[in-house]
Amino acid sequence: MKRFTTFTLFTSALISVAPAMAELGEVSEVESNPLWIEVYTRHEEEKNIGLQGIIGRLDFPEYWGLYFAAELNTDGYYEWAVGKTFGLSENAYFDAYVGYTKWNYRLSLRTGYNFDNGLMLSVRARPEFGYDDWIGVDDNGEEINYGTNLSVRTDVFVGYNTTDYEFFYNRVDNFETDDQIANAFKYGEKHTTTDHEFRVTYTANKWRPYFQTVVMKNGWDNGTELKDDLRWQVGFTLPM
């Protein structure tokens, strides 16, 4: 169950990763700055611990416009990804990346539109292919390896830029596709989490300091049930 706890924590509300990793195509500085980082500290109400982490992206315009992005934090979580953003028009884009964590492989597919008035819209689907991580105990006390599984994360993102600030709201949903795993590890829940993520960033400063809060539905596994949780996060993003 501990593995599920950590998995739920980071797949249910990853937009400390989302503006950095999932919203990579929406950060205007990335286009003119080959290196971009985010540093954050995070607190969760139910878990009651602080986490510190760093996220980075490095662009390789000479190699077909590919980018490399990675995250690492003090809870032992890591993710790395390789992707590319395609400009569909002056305002529309499509972004795709393949990623790897200690639990799964990920394929992120996102499309969005940035309006001239500062409004930003995007949607994303991210299938996550787990590998040999769901190990439980049956009624007879025997260990069972449930093997691989497929879960899906979806994002619906709305943002707005002003002269000095950027605001966004992102709704994140996670879905489990395997009945056995849902019954054994997620209390029968196949639609496991819904997160409502809110962030405000001060963009007039190069360091782009931000504050984020996340209302997490079923965001914490206390060993007997999935409980709601609340996350607070502060940090800054810095184009190099």
Side-chain angles (χ1 to χ4, degrees), residues 5-165:
T5 297
T6 312
F7 178 83
T8 302
L9 177 63
F10 288 102
T11 57
S12 64
L14 210 73
I15 223 173
S16 54
V17 177
M21 203 172 258
E23 262 77 44
L24 286 169
E26 298 171 9
V27 181
S28 59
E29 287 83 357
V30 168
E31 296 180 1
S32 58
N33 292 273
L35 176 61
W36 175 89
I37 64 170
E38 173 180 339
V39 177
Y40 64 82
T41 183
R42 177 186 301 163
H43 175 77
E44 294 182 17
E45 191 172 73
E46 287 293 331
K47 194 171 184 180
N48 198 31
I49 65 169
L51 299 175
Q52 290 75 47
I54 185 169
I55 304 167
R57 166 172 164 156
L58 182 62
D59 282 65
F60 298 94
E62 67 276 22
Y63 294 103
W64 311 285
L66 297 175
Y67 64 80
F68 173 78
E71 178 184 16
L72 176 67
N73 70 31
T74 54
D75 198 37
Y77 173 83
Y78 63 84
E79 177 178 5
W80 61 260
V82 176
K84 178 176 174 59
T85 301
F86 301 86
L88 303 180
S89 69
E90 186 176 349
N91 298 81
Y93 66 90
F94 176 78
D95 184 86
Y97 74 71
V98 290
Y100 173 80
T101 76
K102 64 194 300 183
W103 303 286
N104 54 40
Y105 298 97
R106 299 172 172 182
L107 172 63
S108 172
L109 302 172
R110 177 184 296 274
T111 186
Y113 193 91
N114 298 330
F115 292 85
D116 293 334
N117 63 2
L119 181 65
M120 302 178 293
L121 303 175
S122 74
V123 293
R124 177 176 72 156
R126 190 178 75 191
E128 302 181 351
F129 306 91
Y131 45 87
D132 279 343
D133 194 53
W134 299 104
I135 300 174
V137 178
D138 64 17
D139 294 336
N140 298 319
E142 299 292 330
E143 186 177 271
I144 300 176
N145 187 336
Y146 291 86
T148 60
N149 75 305
L150 169 65
S151 60
V152 179
R153 165 182 167 142
T154 62
D155 295 75
V156 179
F157 175 94
V158 180
Y160 184 73
N161 275 311
T162 69
T163 303
D164 296 332
Y165 292 92

Side-chain angles (χ1 to χ4, degrees), residues 1 12 17 32 53 75-76 92 103 118 163 170 181 198 210 215 231 234:
M1 302 301 285
S12 64
V17 177
S32 58
D75 198 37
W103 303 286
T163 303
N170 188 53
I181 291 174
F198 304 87
Y210 70 82
V215 180
R231 171 184 293 170
V234 293

Side-chain angles (χ1 to χ4, degrees), residues 155-222:
D155 295 75
V156 179
F157 175 94
V158 180
Y160 184 73
N161 275 311
T162 69
T163 303
D164 296 332
Y165 292 92
E166 178 180 286
F167 306 90
F168 80 64
Y169 163 75
N170 188 53
R171 173 177 171 137
V172 181
D173 288 278
N174 282 279
F175 303 87
E176 178 58 62
T177 64
D178 188 285
D179 288 320
Q180 277 191 306
I181 291 174
N183 290 330
F185 296 94
K186 304 183 180 182
Y187 312 102
E189 299 276 356
K190 295 193 74 173
H191 175 202
T192 55
T193 64
T194 298
D195 294 346
H196 302 279
E197 304 173 336
F198 304 87
R199 179 184 287 200
V200 57
T201 303
Y202 181 58
T203 58
N205 187 298
K206 179 182 178 180
W207 291 81
R208 293 173 58 94
Y210 70 82
F211 171 78
Q212 177 175 309
T213 186
V214 184
V215 180
M216 299 187 287
K217 178 69 176 176
N218 289 342
W220 177 244
D221 178 11
N222 67 359

